[in-house]
Amino acid sequence: AGDLTIQLPNPSNTHSSLMSTVRAINLVLPETEVYLAGSNIEGQLVLNLRSTLVDPVVKVELVGRGYLRWLEEENPEWDYEKSVACTNQAVYVSKTQNFHIEDGWLDSGVHTFDFHFNFPPSIPSTFNSKIGCISYFIQGTCCSGQVILAKEERYLLLQGIATCFAFLFTLSMQAPLVVEARKDIVYFCCFRRGSVILRISLEKNKFCPGETIVFKTDIANRTCKYVRKIHFALHCIVLYRGFSSRGEPCFLEDQSEVTRFESQTDTAPFEAMRITSALLLPKPMPVTSTVTENKIMAFRYELVGTSSLPCTTSTIVARVPIIIAA
C-alpha cells in the first residue's frame, strides 16, 4: 500500500491571506476643528477589499478616557528614597456601532458604512499635561473571527461645557474684578524707600474658550527708578486625584501657563501709567470645574501680572481669578 500524505492548512498562511484581503480602511470625518460636548458627529468608514471576505465584523467606536500618573516620595523621614506611583483613570464615553453585513459576506471593491454618534453633554475637554491627559478618538475596525484585518484611529479635539452652573454663579459673584498688589522697596545704597502698586481691572471674570480677555492695568511707580515691563499670563491650576498601590487617595496640584505676553511700560519714577491689554484664549480648553465633575482632575484659572522691581531681585505679582465656561 502506498503512503498517504495529508496536507494540513498552515495557520500563519491563513492569517496572512486574511490580512492581505483588505486593501485600505479609511475614516471620513467632517472638517470640524473642535467638537462641543453634547453635539453630534457623523462620518463614514470606507473599506477597500482585494477579494471576497466571508463573515466579517465591521464596526466604528467612539472612545473618550482620562488617565493620570505621578510619583511621590512615600515617607520623607526614611533614610532611603522610595517612590510610590499615584494613578487613576476614567472613561467618559464608550460607544460602538456594528454594521450589519447582508448575506454574511463582502465582495471585492469599495464598501461605505455611515455612522453617527452623540457626545455626552457632561464630558470634559481634551487636555494633556506631563501628569495626566483626557483624549477622544474614533476607531474603525474590520475583523474576521478573532483576527483584526485593518484598523484606523482618528483623534478628536473636544470642548467641554460647564455643568455645575450654581457653582460657577457663586464664583462669578464672589470673585473680585479689581485686584491690587503693593510691594515696598528699601534701597540701602542711597537709604531711600519706595513702592510699586500694580492694579488689574476687568469688566467681567467669566470667559469662553476662544474669547479675548480685555483688561486694564494701572502702575503706580513710587520709586526713583523706571518700571520697564510687565509680564501677563493665564495660569491653569489643575488638582489631580489619584490612588496609591494600597488604594489610598492622593492629591497633587500642578500649574502651567495657557498663554502669555509681555508689555513694555517704561513707567518713569514717581509717575503712574494705565495700559490696556488683551489675551486670546485657545480652543479647546478645560472649563472651570471640580474633581467630582471630571472624576480625576479639577481646573481653575488665574490671570497673573508680574513685574520686576527696579534695582532689586524682587517682583510684584497680582492675581485675578478667571472663570472659563463654555
Side-chain angles (χ1 to χ4, degrees), residues 25-27 29 45 61 63 65 136-141 150-156:
I25 183 171
N26 295 293
L27 285 167
L29 300 176
L45 176 66
E61 299 169 274
V63 179
R65 56 196 176 199
Y136 299 88
F137 63 90
I138 289 281
Q139 178 176 274
T141 310
K151 179 174 65 174
E152 185 185 20
E153 288 182 357
R154 295 280 294 276
Y155 279 83
L156 311 172

Side-chain angles (χ1 to χ4, degrees), residues 175-180 199-203 216 218 319-320:
L177 298 180
V178 178
V179 168
E180 181 177 292
R199 182 185 297 112
I200 299 178
S201 308
L202 292 88
E203 293 184 359
K216 297 178 181 179
D218 293 287
R319 303 176 182 273
V320 185

Side-chain angles (χ1 to χ4, degrees), residues 118-136:
N118 298 99
F119 290 104
S122 58
I123 54 178
S125 304
T126 301
F127 174 75
N128 189 37
S129 74
K130 61 183 179 181
I131 297 173
C133 68
I134 297 173
S135 60
Y136 299 88

Side-chain angles (χ1 to χ4, degrees), residues 37-287:
S39 65
N40 303 325
I41 178 172
E42 296 180 354
Q44 293 179 327
L45 176 66
V46 181
L47 194 62
N48 191 345
L49 300 180
R50 287 191 176 90
S51 58
T52 301
L53 185 60
V54 180
D55 293 331
V57 176
V58 182
K59 62 182 179 180
V60 174
E61 299 169 274
L62 172 63
V63 179
R65 56 196 176 199
Y67 178 79
L68 59 87
R69 183 181 188 274
W70 76 88
L71 296 175
E72 61 181 34
E73 192 175 350
E74 189 169 11
N75 192 333
E77 298 180 356
W78 289 350
D79 295 334
Y80 59 93
E81 293 184 0
K82 184 179 180 181
S83 298
V84 57
C86 297
T87 60
N88 204 349
Q89 57 185 343
V91 177
Y92 299 110
V93 58
S94 180
K95 298 182 178 182
T96 303
Q97 185 172 340
N98 290 283
F99 299 106
H100 172 69
I101 308 300
E102 192 173 352
D103 299 328
W105 59 275
L106 292 174
D107 203 354
S108 60
V110 178
H111 302 268
T112 303
F113 304 90
D114 298 324
F115 63 86
H116 173 274
F117 290 110
N118 298 99
F119 290 104
S122 58
I123 54 178
S125 304
T126 301
F127 174 75
N128 189 37
S129 74
K130 61 183 179 181
I131 297 173
C133 68
I134 297 173
S135 60
Y136 299 88
F137 63 90
I138 289 281
Q139 178 176 274
T141 310
C142 177
C143 306
S144 178
Q146 300 297 320
V147 180
I148 298 177
L149 306 182
K151 179 174 65 174
E152 185 185 20
E153 288 182 357
R154 295 280 294 276
Y155 279 83
L156 311 172
L157 293 178
L158 187 126
Q159 174 61 58
I161 61 176
T163 56
C164 191
F165 294 105
F167 168 70
L168 292 178
F169 178 76
T170 303
L171 282 181
S172 64
M173 296 302 293
Q174 292 180 351
L177 298 180
V178 178
V179 168
E180 181 177 292
R182 176 187 174 122
K183 193 80 171 183
D184 295 321
I185 311 169
V186 178
Y187 295 102
F188 292 103
C189 59
C190 53
F191 302 100
R192 300 188 64 174
R193 294 177 179 269
S195 65
V196 175
I197 298 175
L198 194 63
R199 182 185 297 112
I200 299 178
S201 308
L202 292 88
E203 293 184 359
K204 62 176 184 176
N205 69 333
K206 185 185 295 184
F207 300 90
C208 295
E211 190 176 355
T212 300
I213 301 177
V214 179
F215 56 96
K216 297 178 181 179
T217 305
D218 293 287
I219 310 139
N221 181 15
R222 299 173 183 173
T223 71
C224 57
K225 306 292 183 179
Y226 275 82
V227 176
R228 297 294 183 182
K229 62 184 67 175
I230 302 179
H231 299 272
F232 296 102
L234 181 67
H235 289 184
C236 177
I237 301 99
V238 188
L239 177 64
Y240 298 95
R241 179 178 68 178
F243 293 92
S244 67
S245 57
R246 295 189 296 270
E248 299 171 342
C250 43
F251 295 87
L252 176 67
E253 188 171 278
D254 188 52
Q255 179 176 287
S256 62
E257 284 188 358
V258 178
T259 182
R260 66 174 291 133
F261 79 96
E262 182 181 284
S263 179
Q264 197 78 22
T265 60
D266 291 327
T267 307
F270 303 102
E271 295 287 340
M273 177 180 288
R274 166 172 284 190
I275 57 175
T276 301
S277 309
L279 274 175
L280 177 63
L281 297 178
K283 188 178 181 179
M285 62 186 301
V287 298

